[in-house]
Amino acid sequence: MRAKAIRIAANGGPEVMEYVDVDVGDPGPGEALVRQHAIGLNFIDVYFRTGLYPQPLPAGLGQEGAGVVEAVGEGVTHVRPGDRVAYAGGPNGAYAALRTMPAHVLVRLPDAVGFETAAAMMLQGLTVQYLFRSTYPLAAGQTILFHAAAGGVGLIACQWARALGVNLIGTVGSKEKGELALAHGAAHVINYNEEDIVARVRALTNGAGVPVVYDSVGKDTFFASLDCLKPRGLMVSFGNSSGPVEPFSPGELAKRGSLYLTRPTLGAYMATRTELEAMAADLFGMVESGQLKIEVKQTFPLAQAAEAHRALESRRTTGSTVLLP
């Protein structure tokens, strides 16, 4: 059968994305055929489009979506035709109306969670889940630094931190984004275009610094993030929206007080079915309890995926963005 999808034949700007008809095959062993109702937009899609994260070309884009299972292949028992499902993680190819994909990444959606909400929260919400529950398990009363607090991951982090009783200091690029982060649960915000991040963090922590920094910005904030940490603090570098961090000497960690550094990925934290289901259950529970509200701030038709990428890269988006097939 044929279906609309976005494909790239070369790396580059948003213009390399083509809206085309593709052949979609029947699901093989371990696969499922999913009719997608909503697709999540994430910065990792930009990394694959530009070639920062290499993949064989031609290729699809997108790692997150929600829809209905139409068919399953041999050996698939945890989902069946008619199930409402969502997923986050590889392989690329979510920018499509219909796709055959590995079934092991699919989780069943609770009835209370809509398709657009699910597509907007799976990758970002599961990211916050592993960052806050596993990479550095947070406890009430702690103060942390979280960059890009008004983005899709950031707004989820603000709410989750508030639910845990954690004081989140969020960095933002404008007064409006600061107000948004505060409204979602940030304890303090720092406008990096007007304030010195390190000086402000030190002031807010009485000179002590924070035990953990969550940094998805990369090159532009990396060393400032290190300078915000307490001795033996943990630097969690989980993205590169400003570009990859340049190589540096491990001595930089030593002279700042025996710091730790990790570069985690979602895939490593949900590598098993048991881990994925536990993480998804935690995320769905936060949403169903009302402690976490997922706001789709922008929607674009799938055919306008290039414009959606332009908006994301120019920081014209807040919260979550969803593509609609």
Side-chain angles (χ1 to χ4, degrees):
M1 66 196 84
R2 305 277 284 173
K4 290 291 188 182
I6 296 289
R7 291 289 185 268
I8 61 170
N11 295 123
E15 70 281 355
V16 302
M17 292 188 287
E18 298 180 294
Y19 186 58
V20 296
D21 288 304
V22 297
D23 290 316
V24 182
D26 293 329
E31 292 184 332
L33 177 66
V34 178
R35 172 121 0 229
Q36 304 208 114
H37 289 240
I39 300 153
L41 175 72
N42 297 282
F43 231 101
I44 194 171
D45 306 344
V46 175
Y47 302 157
F48 278 108
R49 191 203 73 220
T50 61
L52 176 63
Y53 291 0
Q55 65 175 333
L57 299 175
L61 292 173
Q63 298 204 341
E64 174 181 47
V68 175
V69 175
E70 292 204 342
V72 297
E74 181 184 349
V76 176
T77 58
H78 66 282
V79 294
R80 59 190 179 186
D83 281 351
R84 300 170 69 253
V85 294
Y87 63 92
N92 278 330
Y95 288 15
L98 185 70
R99 68 180 300 204
T100 298
M101 61 185 296
H104 69 84
V105 302
L106 297 172
V107 293
R108 286 195 298 266
L109 269 183
D111 292 340
V113 180
F115 291 121
E116 289 189 26
T117 299
M121 79 178 188
M122 289 299 292
L123 195 147
Q124 296 168 345
L126 291 174
T127 294
V128 175
Q129 197 280 340
Y130 85 73
L131 290 175
F132 284 7
R133 301 291 205 190
S134 298
T135 303
Y136 187 97
L138 295 177
Q142 290 178 313
T143 298
I144 67 171
L145 178 63
F146 202 101
H147 287 290
V153 175
L155 292 182
I156 293 173
C158 288
Q159 295 176 76
W160 209 312
R162 177 171 59 189
L164 293 173
V166 169
N167 300 307
L168 183 147
I169 304 170
T171 68
V172 296
S174 69
K175 180 174 181 287
E176 294 74 21
K177 288 190 173 186
E179 291 170 349
L180 190 63
L182 289 169
H184 282 74
H188 307 278
V189 293
I190 301 171
N191 184 339
Y192 54 74
N193 288 317
E194 297 179 355
E195 302 174 275
D196 181 275
I197 293 173
V198 179
R200 186 87 172 100
V201 168
R202 292 290 171 182
L204 289 169
T205 58
N206 296 316
V210 294
V212 61
V213 176
Y214 298 100
D215 189 336
S216 63
V217 177
K219 180 179 65 176
D220 289 355
T221 53
F222 185 81
F223 286 101
S225 294
L226 295 183
D227 290 336
C228 291
L229 285 165
K230 291 179 175 180
R232 301 195 304 277
L234 175 63
M235 171 64 177
V236 183
S237 177
F238 70 100
N240 322 276
S241 63
S242 68
V245 177
E246 297 292 332
F248 67 95
S249 167
E252 296 292 337
L253 303 176
K255 73 183 184 182
R256 288 173 171 82
S258 299
L259 302 180
Y260 293 88
L261 167 66
T262 184
R263 181 58 175 89
T265 65
L266 175 60
Y269 279 84
M270 59 177 202
T272 69
R273 185 76 207 167
T274 300
E275 290 170 322
L276 170 59
E277 290 187 348
M279 291 169 66
D282 191 14
L283 173 60
F284 294 153
M286 290 291 291
V287 173
E288 290 180 293
S289 71
Q291 294 176 293
L292 186 57
K293 292 181 171 59
I294 306 299
E295 297 179 50
V296 178
K297 294 289 190 178
Q298 300 85 203
T299 62
F300 292 83
L302 179 58
Q304 295 177 17
E307 182 53 36
H309 273 229
R310 292 185 184 99
L312 182 66
E313 289 181 276
S314 62
R315 305 195 181 188
R316 287 187 279 123
T317 64
T318 56
S320 297
T321 302
V322 166
L323 305 175
L324 301 176

